Amino acid sequence: MTDAQETAAETALRTTGGAPPDDVEPAPIPLLEPREGIPPVVATDDALAEVIDAFARGTGPVAVDAERASGYRYGQRAYLVQLRREGAGTALIDPVGCPDLSGLGEVLAGAEWILHAATQDLPCLREIGMIPTRLFDTELAGRLAGFPRVGLGAMVESVLGYALEKGHSAVDWSTRPLPEPWLRYAALDVELLVDLRDALEKELDRQGKLEWARQEFDAIAAAPPAPPRKDPWRRTSGMHKVRRRRQMAVVRELWTARDKVAQRRDVSPGKVLSDSAIVEAALAVPANLQALTALPGFGHRMGRRQLEQWQAAVDRAKALPDPELPQPGQPLNGPPPPRSWADKDPAAAARLSAARAAVSALAEELNLPQENLITPDTVRRVCWEPPAEATVAAVTEALAGHGARAWQVELVAPLLARALTATA
């Protein structure tokens, strides 16, 4: 970071995200330009070997980003990986041409990886062999530091005083060849990540939150891959309209059939059949192809063969014996929804109300989001099944058992202990 950038960053960090006073005309924000131009896309083993060598010889942390094709392709695989490191410059790697980046991951294993919203990119990076052991998440750092807007563009603008190009975040990154404007956008995403990281580290240290951030980053790096979601069909948009078990079976059969087609064609499931069409079919339970065709989402644009496969899924659901129909709702792994607590357990509802108020007040005092101070799910679990004795030590043990970090436990355990005691 240059001296001018550092001065601008320190000023912005001290003025709630860089907003100028009302009576001062804001200076125009310069558009960020690539310092070394746009590098060629790496899509061969030989070119990848050169990148691995360059980044092995580089120094300091490495900025990492990945672009997916959500909404266009099946799954969440990476279609472009961007990296930048001191002494190595910027690299744009095509995971289609180079599907195994474990060699690159190995030479960077000891480095700190800088990502923005790390949990979004880590699953697709893991698939291609890139797994960090240490990381710095600039989005999470912004949340802990109290920034009102934590998108990458907003952070770069408010902290470093540069505007990032916009407009290509939701494009189809599986397109080949990738257009030059898209590559420019991708390269700029890692251009200033190291500078942003350094400025945020200073600000977190100034606020006394740097150790909190380090614990959060360590937890993200150490987290295992998420297990497959149970009954993913239940997350169909509009599912709340579906009340009867037979209708739920229609959703399940159509969702499963759609998923198989989408996976085979490597397209987003929504491009095969919309969620709204699935729900319409579930509510109507059409008796035949003609009835199905009359429903929204199953119009004349759809070929007869497609219509037949959807009707076959409906027919399978209609033929299921009652014991094989899905049960309403998912088996609860934890407390019930808070809206039902007052009826099910008024004492638990009182505990939750007191705990929420205490957490909210502390989060406001510390200038960070409540969910980053402690997850709402953790608060609910402790309030629904509190320790036998509402001591700080007992609550500390309960919070740690639910995965709360040490800094969170230290701050929140006394609050929850008081809330549990006050409502006993």
Side-chain angles (χ1 to χ4, degrees):
M1 186 186 300
T2 66
D3 292 341
Q5 284 177 328
E6 189 163 353
T7 301
E10 291 176 352
T11 301
L13 286 165
R14 283 160 175 73
T15 55
T16 60
D22 292 338
D23 59 346
V24 176
E25 184 71 23
I29 300 174
L31 191 65
L32 182 62
E33 298 287 344
R35 279 175 269 193
E36 297 113 19
I38 304 172
V41 176
V42 173
T44 66
D45 291 342
D46 289 344
L48 178 60
E50 293 181 9
V51 167
I52 292 174
D53 182 60
F55 275 78
R57 288 184 283 105
T59 58
V62 55
V64 183
D65 190 24
E67 306 294 348
R68 299 176 298 279
S70 304
Y72 298 93
R73 295 288 184 174
Y74 185 86
Q76 294 294 317
R77 67 171 293 185
Y79 282 94
L80 188 71
V81 175
Q82 309 99 280
L83 305 100
R84 183 175 179 85
R85 193 181 196 188
E86 184 68 30
T90 298
L92 303 178
I93 303 175
D94 177 5
V96 177
C98 301
D100 182 6
L101 299 187
S102 56
L104 180 59
E106 288 171 6
V107 302
L108 298 175
E112 178 188 77
W113 294 24
I114 308 169
L115 301 103
H116 193 81
T119 54
Q120 294 182 18
D121 287 342
L122 287 178
C124 69
L125 290 171
R126 184 186 296 271
E127 288 181 358
I128 54 179
M130 297 189 66
I131 306 172
T133 56
R134 293 188 298 129
L135 63 84
F136 190 106
D137 186 334
T138 49
E139 184 200 48
L140 181 52
R143 291 182 185 278
L144 294 175
F147 277 79
R149 297 189 302 146
V150 293
L152 181 58
M155 294 290 289
V156 168
E157 185 173 316
S158 63
V159 176
L160 302 177
Y162 283 96
L164 288 177
E165 291 187 5
K166 302 175 182 179
H168 301 304
S169 60
V171 299
D172 182 2
W173 287 96
S174 68
T175 301
R176 292 298 182 273
L178 286 165
E180 189 271 343
W182 299 11
L183 295 174
R184 176 187 177 87
Y185 165 91
L188 290 174
D189 270 359
V190 293
E191 184 83 11
L192 291 180
L193 266 186
V194 175
D195 296 338
L196 181 60
R197 172 236 181 270
D198 292 344
L200 290 172
E201 182 179 61
K202 288 183 179 180
E203 177 62 13
L204 288 168
D205 190 36
R206 186 184 73 82
Q207 293 186 22
K209 299 176 180 177
L210 184 55
E211 177 56 29
W212 305 356
R214 286 172 175 161
Q215 290 182 29
E216 292 298 303
F217 302 156
D218 288 345
I220 294 173
R229 191 183 299 276
K230 185 177 180 181
D231 291 345
W233 57 270
R234 291 184 184 272
R235 294 177 62 84
T236 302
S237 180
M239 188 68 190
H240 63 281
K241 303 176 186 176
V242 182
R243 305 287 187 182
R244 299 175 182 173
R245 294 175 63 200
R246 185 72 59 185
Q247 295 173 329
M248 292 180 182
V250 173
V251 173
R252 183 176 64 185
E253 291 295 331
L254 282 171
W255 189 99
T256 303
R258 179 185 69 173
D259 195 66
K260 290 178 180 177
V261 173
Q263 188 170 11
R264 186 179 70 249
R265 290 169 47 189
D266 189 19
V267 297
S268 169
K271 289 187 174 297
V272 176
L273 187 67
S274 68
D275 279 10
S276 60
I278 290 178
V279 170
E280 290 289 345
L283 295 176
V285 191
N288 51 45
L289 205 60
Q290 184 177 1
L292 178 70
T293 307
L295 297 175
F298 298 91
H300 300 294
R301 294 182 181 180
M302 195 172 287
R304 183 175 181 84
R305 184 177 177 182
Q306 287 179 295
L307 289 167
E308 287 175 347
Q309 71 179 351
W310 305 137
Q311 184 61 44
V314 173
D315 292 342
R316 286 194 297 272
K318 290 161 60 178
L320 285 173
D322 286 353
E324 295 182 22
L325 295 176
Q327 295 296 326
Q330 292 176 281
L332 284 174
N333 178 23
R339 62 179 178 272
S340 66
W341 285 29
D343 293 331
K344 292 178 180 292
D345 189 339
R351 291 193 294 267
L352 182 62
S353 178
R356 281 175 163 174
V359 168
S360 177
L362 180 58
E364 185 174 352
E365 179 184 335
L366 296 172
N367 190 28
L368 52 78
Q370 294 182 42
E371 63 269 20
N372 291 115
L373 175 59
I374 191 73
T375 67
D377 180 68
T378 298
V379 175
R380 287 194 295 267
R381 287 174 184 271
V382 171
C383 291
W384 184 252
E385 295 183 351
E389 296 184 9
T391 63
V392 173
V395 174
T396 292
E397 184 178 354
L399 289 172
H402 291 307
R405 264 68 73 190
W407 74 272
Q408 295 174 315
V409 172
E410 181 181 357
L411 290 170
V412 174
L415 295 180
L416 294 189
R418 285 197 295 270
L420 297 178
T421 302
T423 55

